[in-house]
Amino acid sequence: MKKKAFSLLVLLFSVSMILAACSGGSGDGEASNGDDKVIDFMHLWPEGSSAEHNRIVQEIVDDYESENEGVSVNIEVLSNEQYKDKIKVLSTSDELPDVGMTWPAGYLEPYVEAEKFAPLDDTLEGEFGDSFVAGTTSAYEVDGSTYGLPLELNVATVFYNQAIFDEYGLEKPETYEEFQNVVDTLKENDVAPIALGNKDRWTGSMWYMYMADRIGGTDLLTEAINQDTSFEDPALIEAADKTQQLAQSDAFVNGFNGLSDQEAKSMFMNEQAAMYLIATWDLPNYTTNEDVPQEFRDSVGYFKFPTVNGEGDRESFVGGPGVGLFVAENSDVKEESKDFVKFFAEQWGEKSVTEAGVIPATKVDAESLDLPQMYVDVLDDLNNATNLTLFADVQMSPEAAEVHLSQIQALFGGNVTPKEFAEAHQEALSQE
Amino acid sequence: MNKVMSNKWMIAFYIMPALLMVAFLIFIPLGLSAYYGLMEWDGIGAMEFIGMENYITAIQDAAFWDSALHSFLLAVFSTLSLIVYLAISMILASKIKGADILRKIYLIPMLLSSVAIAQLWIKVFNPANGMLNRALMWLGVENPPAWLANPDIVLYAIFVPILWQYAGFYILIYYAALKNIPESLIEAAKIDGATPIQIAYRIKLPLIKGIVKVTVVLAIVGSLKYFDLIYVMTNGGPNGASEVMASYMYKLAFSTNEFGYGSAIGFLLLIITLIVTVIVRKLTEDKENIQY
């Protein structure tokens, strides 16, 4: 009798296992109550690493829910890399959240071609569309339709440590010769001139992009990426050559090709390196972030990338919108979702700059807000900017971007000649 | 109970849950990845059937063979390191003082997650502030290498934490096997005048040969499909100098959106691992089976 009971138990157990295994897939997205419409919203600012972002999102969502009876927003948060992986898997199985975050240009294109994202042209009509800084929404454009509402705008500038500069009597360089002089003086005094974490590779790409911008003019690189002109243009090769010379002259910290951007940043912030080229998403670290010593924050300034060979436009920036909001094409609450992303982008602007220190992609009136001086300066620069070149790895398709990034690492490490560097780019870009 | 177990249907029924799980979690995805390998697919949009093209590209892809070479190098080093682990286990098993505590210390790396180990060693290898280079500078080395940035040494630098990570695991296995050898055999050998070296080489080693074979297979297979530390510490860089097969596959599928090609590489990785396993088993095969 006992044995029978035992085998019955085992049987029950195994059956329940099978059932449990089979029931996993269904049942998500139904956590709503009653007839409420639920917008599933996925974002990538976890409470731990992006506390302010996370709080602002929650505030906006709460406001939206209280203004719109019968619509609720279901939030899911993942960190950056996990987010990218999950979005990809979800889109394969056609289960994208109604609203989520995307990156512009090259990242966006496969999703648009597969008709996963909904065009937002009708949402952008009129006044709302004009509230974005020029050139930010166009980064989300594919074949004339816009598929994302940009939230952030980042431009790269060279941050420097004023205290170290003062110690050796250095000043903000305006030309490449002055810049070279700064680097040489620092080297002579055993101070690492520039922090660079080129394991991440897009960091080195920014140096190359600025060289190309100054030497070849503001449009050349973009034209080469679009294959309106060849990447083997002499100016682009010269830019590669200059970048390589800089890398080979010990201007960057030792072992930069093995360091992550995080490590490079900590070297700059621990005053072990005097300069650091990074985009404006780092501004809070040099202004408002209370975790960083006040003394250090006060000693950081920034300068625009110098002219090279006496040429180049210093008001031309490398940068681009960061993440933006998309609406899924197969969403069953598409209208509500479009309404929500519009509401979100409107609310985000002022809130994000004052509370999280984000430079938003929507225009803000710097004068009327209580902002640290560095923010006012950056917003000013943006108003006077003549050109904004989108980050090269973002502009390119993922395949070409991978070639670009590994070539950047090879260029900095001296594993390829500037000519080979240009050839590899030309080959990858022409295949598209 | 015996009656129940002799019923074929009952046996089949009991196997079902495990079989279904293995099928769903392993065999079906395996088949799918071989199938995706036949497709031109970015992982998002529509698939397009292109036959064997991905596999042909892979066979001609120098970057893939570089990564395969790195994986094989790792396999060689992990197999060689087994000798060291075996020696350590023999010492530990021979009743030295503190063997117990040492055994536990060797096991610690196994208890850490790979990402934690990676972060730890990134700090150790940091060119300016790392423990290793600080020590070297203190010893008077002028320009200590940038371990993870120099393409010539990055692969070997990263092998160190990988081997270190699994040391405890193999030591534990060998230790358990050695402890299982009956004391009487060792004593008999001693009475016959065998030296400790002879005991180790002629008595202990043959007796645990079966276990050694298993660990060799484990080490080789584990190395060929190795991924974690490489991904976190260098992401295959600089410029592919520390790329292994699994990290190359991941990069293709998830960074460059070549999901079809990535799947093909994944399937090749499986085939290579299978072939190597069969070869290793054949090479270490012998009919003699020592019992005690």
Side-chain angles (χ1 to χ4, degrees), chain B residues 113-250:
Chain B
S113 84
S114 289
V115 177
I117 292 178
Q119 293 299 341
L120 179 74
W121 282 85
I122 285 175
K123 302 237 151 42
V124 171
F125 282 137
N126 186 300
N129 306 319
M131 201 200 289
L132 183 59
N133 278 4
R134 281 282 164 91
L136 285 176
M137 278 190 260
W138 183 76
L139 289 172
V141 179
E142 286 258 324
N143 276 314
W147 299 97
L148 298 179
N150 186 334
D152 299 329
I153 50 176
V154 57
L155 193 64
Y156 304 98
I158 214 167
F159 282 173
V160 173
I162 296 176
L163 299 182
W164 176 78
Q165 180 181 16
Y166 288 105
F169 174 69
Y170 292 114
I171 290 174
L172 193 71
I173 292 181
Y174 288 144
Y175 180 82
L178 289 167
K179 277 289 174 193
N180 259 340
I181 297 174
E183 203 57 33
S184 53
L185 288 178
I186 314 281
E187 263 160 39
K190 271 187 194 154
I191 290 167
D192 287 343
T195 63
I197 302 279
Q198 277 174 323
I199 293 177
Y201 200 66
R202 305 253 169 193
I203 312 249
K204 288 181 177 169
L205 199 55
L207 283 176
I208 63 163
K209 203 153 73 181
I211 301 283
V212 174
K213 277 188 219 165
V214 171
T215 54
V216 168
V217 173
L218 277 181
I220 291 177
V221 172
S223 308
L224 290 181
K225 60 177 191 163
Y226 194 78
F227 176 72
D228 341 6
L229 287 195
I230 303 253
Y231 174 66
V232 184
M233 287 178 69
T234 60
N235 199 7
N239 207 25
S242 62
E243 199 87 86
V244 291
M245 285 190 281
S247 68
Y248 188 56
M249 168 186 81
Y250 180 87

Side-chain angles (χ1 to χ4, degrees), chain A residues 34-56:
Chain A
D35 307 326
D36 263 12
K37 292 203 164 157
V38 181
I39 301 173
D40 285 314
F41 174 38
M42 237 165 101
H43 73 80
L44 42 76
W45 291 311
E47 212 177 339
S49 53
S50 326
E52 289 89 7
H53 291 67
N54 187 286
R55 206 194 57 240
I56 298 172

Side-chain angles (χ1 to χ4, degrees), chain B:
Chain B
M1 196 70 178
N2 279 335
K3 224 179 189 174
V4 176
M5 281 318 221
S6 61
N7 183 339
K8 288 244 163 62
W9 286 107
M10 223 44 205
I11 296 175
F13 187 76
Y14 279 136
I15 295 175
M16 269 319 248
L19 186 68
L20 279 180
M21 234 176 231
V22 172
F24 269 110
L25 296 177
I26 298 177
F27 290 114
I28 293 179
L30 266 182
L32 279 177
S33 107
Y35 167 73
Y36 292 149
L38 301 171
M39 302 287 166
E40 163 89 54
W41 188 33
D42 60 9
I44 299 158
M47 288 190 230
E48 188 196 330
F49 184 80
I50 52 164
M52 297 299 286
E53 207 173 294
N54 278 334
Y55 292 95
I56 294 167
T57 319
I59 286 168
Q60 295 166 341
D61 182 352
F64 171 65
W65 290 112
D66 274 349
S67 73
L69 175 70
H70 298 155
S71 292
F72 276 102
L73 272 175
L74 176 59
V76 169
F77 276 91
S78 357
T79 313
L80 291 178
S81 68
L82 290 179
I83 300 170
V84 180
Y85 304 150
L86 190 58
I88 294 175
S89 316
M90 288 209 178
I91 297 167
L92 284 182
S94 63
K95 293 183 211 142
I96 60 156
K97 249 190 197 157
D100 218 36
I101 187 93
L102 280 174
R103 196 162 48 89
K104 282 172 187 137
I105 290 174
Y106 289 134
L107 206 60
I108 289 176
M110 259 196 74
L111 305 178
L112 298 173
S113 84
S114 289
V115 177
I117 292 178
Q119 293 299 341
L120 179 74
W121 282 85
I122 285 175
K123 302 237 151 42
V124 171
F125 282 137
N126 186 300
N129 306 319
M131 201 200 289
L132 183 59
N133 278 4
R134 281 282 164 91
L136 285 176
M137 278 190 260
W138 183 76
L139 289 172
V141 179
E142 286 258 324
N143 276 314
W147 299 97
L148 298 179
N150 186 334
D152 299 329
I153 50 176
V154 57
L155 193 64
Y156 304 98
I158 214 167
F159 282 173
V160 173
I162 296 176
L163 299 182
W164 176 78
Q165 180 181 16
Y166 288 105
F169 174 69
Y170 292 114
I171 290 174
L172 193 71
I173 292 181
Y174 288 144
Y175 180 82
L178 289 167
K179 277 289 174 193
N180 259 340
I181 297 174
E183 203 57 33
S184 53
L185 288 178
I186 314 281
E187 263 160 39
K190 271 187 194 154
I191 290 167
D192 287 343
T195 63
I197 302 279
Q198 277 174 323
I199 293 177
Y201 200 66
R202 305 253 169 193
I203 312 249
K204 288 181 177 169
L205 199 55
L207 283 176
I208 63 163
K209 203 153 73 181
I211 301 283
V212 174
K213 277 188 219 165
V214 171
T215 54
V216 168
V217 173
L218 277 181
I220 291 177
V221 172
S223 308
L224 290 181
K225 60 177 191 163
Y226 194 78
F227 176 72
D228 341 6
L229 287 195
I230 303 253
Y231 174 66
V232 184
M233 287 178 69
T234 60
N235 199 7
N239 207 25
S242 62
E243 199 87 86
V244 291
M245 285 190 281
S247 68
Y248 188 56
M249 168 186 81
Y250 180 87
K251 196 174 270 176
L252 288 172
F254 287 96
S255 312
T256 67
N257 275 5
E258 292 176 86
F259 218 89
Y261 189 36
S263 300
I265 299 270
F267 196 70
L268 281 182
L269 166 61
L270 171 77
I271 296 198
I272 291 175
T273 314
L274 269 179
I275 293 173
V276 171
T277 313
V278 169
I279 293 175
V280 170
R281 299 229 60 144
K282 274 265 181 294
L283 286 180
T284 55
E285 198 175 45
D286 71 292
K287 277 149 203 105
E288 192 186 6
N289 197 5
I290 304 162
Q291 295 277 345
Y292 48 81

